[in-house]
Amino acid sequence: MADDLGDEWWENQPAGAASSPASDGEGGGDTEMTQQETAPVPALSKKTKQPKECFLIQPKEANEDATKTRKRKKKKITDVLAKSEPKPGTPEDLQKLMKDHYSSTHSVIELEELTLPDSCFLKANDLTHSLSSYLKEICPKWVKLRKNHSEKKSVLMLIICSSATRALELIRSMTAFRGDSKVMKLFAKHIKVQEQVKLLEKRVVHLGVGTPGRIKELIKQGGLNLNPLKFLVFDWNWRDQKLRRMMDIPEIRKEVFELLEMGVLSLCKSESLKLGLY
């Protein structure tokens, strides 16, 4: 009987009903495993973060490249100067530098008063002269002037340069011109101001070669009188190892203009003093 009832029950069940519980259990398990295997959350999060990391790195590289480019440009200044053709200095160059220097502190009328007359300038060096040949050209009567000069604490000619080393070079290169003239080193290296003042008080000096800072200090202390001065020559065209001329160096340029204000400009306007650009 039981077997007959069982057979009737299986026959009366809809198709697939008997296997549905088992299939539900097995199918649910398989679905959960496939979701865990096919959709890993960490892998997706990595893919979405990658573009952000690339985006943050690129500007840093661009900034570093820009900094390197700027540094390279600064180093090329001497290269440009080295390749450029040397041009001799002219009186207009000095006039322009004076105007640029005083324009921020002086009025238009005062700037006109500072303008030097063309008559106070000697012929400029055309880069073909040695120092001796240039001095002979601008001062052909030097021997006579030297013999008539007997005033102490003064010189007849001042040569202004950028450094003590350059001053020594100039003194050695002017042997043919100076002859028996008394030459004095007017720079600060290894020489105290007081020592130079005493030397100027004791002896007659015809030529002074030095830096604007020390010459300015000697004038302040009363050791050097500019009134007998006849020639003021700037070592204008010479360049140092960095290819700078003396007026390209801010400290030297500032001291030169301060020296000009200490009586040089007034002597030039009175035409008792001549300026030369070597």
Side-chain angles (χ1 to χ4, degrees):
M1 256 324 257
D3 294 338
D4 294 337
L5 289 172
D7 294 337
E8 291 175 0
W9 184 83
W10 284 107
E11 290 174 358
N12 294 330
Q13 292 301 317
S19 61
S20 61
S23 63
D24 289 341
E26 292 175 1
D30 294 340
T31 303
E32 290 176 0
M33 291 179 67
T34 53
Q35 287 178 352
Q36 292 176 358
E37 291 175 359
T38 58
V41 176
L44 289 173
S45 61
K46 286 182 180 179
K47 290 181 181 178
T48 55
K49 289 180 181 178
Q50 284 178 357
K52 292 183 179 180
E53 292 176 359
C54 294
F55 179 76
L56 293 172
I57 292 171
Q58 287 176 354
K60 292 180 180 179
E61 292 176 352
N63 291 335
E64 289 176 359
D65 293 339
T67 305
K68 289 178 181 178
T69 304
R70 284 195 296 270
K71 288 180 180 178
R72 290 192 203 104
K73 287 181 180 179
K74 289 181 180 178
K75 292 179 181 179
K76 289 181 181 178
I77 294 175
T78 52
D79 296 336
V80 173
L81 289 172
K83 293 177 181 179
S84 61
E85 294 182 3
K87 295 181 180 180
T90 62
E92 289 77 15
D93 294 336
L94 178 57
Q95 299 275 33
K96 186 180 182 301
L97 286 176
M98 290 178 63
K99 185 177 180 180
D100 294 341
H101 179 77
Y102 292 114
S103 58
S104 59
T105 56
H106 291 64
S107 64
V108 177
I109 297 174
E110 289 173 334
L111 287 174
E112 290 179 357
E113 293 176 353
L114 288 172
T115 303
L116 294 170
D118 294 336
S119 58
C120 77
F121 287 98
L122 297 162
K123 183 179 179 181
N125 179 22
D126 59 0
L127 303 182
T128 62
H129 284 285
S130 66
L131 181 57
S132 288
S133 65
Y134 176 69
L135 296 179
K136 285 179 180 179
E137 182 175 341
I138 64 173
C139 184
K141 298 181 180 180
W142 173 252
V143 176
K144 184 178 179 180
L145 284 172
R146 174 175 59 81
K147 289 180 178 179
N148 294 333
H149 179 65
S150 59
E151 189 172 344
K152 297 179 181 178
K153 297 173 63 175
S154 66
V155 294
L156 286 173
M157 180 183 290
L158 268 177
I159 301 176
I160 298 177
C161 57
S162 58
S163 66
T165 304
R166 178 58 180 166
L168 294 174
E169 291 176 1
L170 290 172
I171 291 172
R172 287 193 293 267
S173 65
M174 61 191 296
T175 305
F177 169 79
R178 71 183 188 185
D180 296 332
S181 304
K182 301 298 181 183
V183 183
M184 187 167 178
K185 306 168 188 174
L186 302 177
F187 49 77
K189 191 173 184 180
H190 307 309
I191 307 174
K192 295 180 180 179
V193 181
Q194 292 78 11
E195 293 177 3
Q196 291 172 334
V197 171
K198 290 179 181 179
L199 289 173
L200 287 166
E201 290 175 347
K202 289 180 179 179
R203 64 180 69 170
V204 174
V205 180
H206 306 105
L207 277 162
V209 184
T211 56
R214 176 47 61 94
I215 293 170
K216 190 178 64 171
E217 189 62 29
L218 289 168
I219 296 170
K220 281 183 181 179
Q221 297 197 18
L224 182 62
N225 178 20
L226 293 181
N227 288 328
L229 185 64
K230 300 300 179 186
F231 301 95
L232 179 62
V233 179
F234 293 102
D235 184 31
W236 191 273
N237 297 297
W238 181 80
R239 295 180 183 272
D240 61 11
Q241 291 181 348
K242 296 181 179 179
L243 300 178
R244 300 174 302 177
R245 297 174 302 178
M246 62 176 289
M247 296 301 278
D248 294 330
I249 305 171
E251 297 82 5
I252 300 296
R253 184 171 62 247
K254 180 176 178 291
E255 290 177 341
V256 166
F257 289 128
E258 290 174 352
L259 176 61
L260 293 178
E261 293 175 5
M262 300 177 72
V264 173
L265 292 176
S266 58
L267 290 172
C268 289
K269 289 182 178 181
S270 67
E271 299 187 357
S272 64
L273 175 62
K274 302 292 184 181
L275 300 178
L277 304 179
Y278 170 64

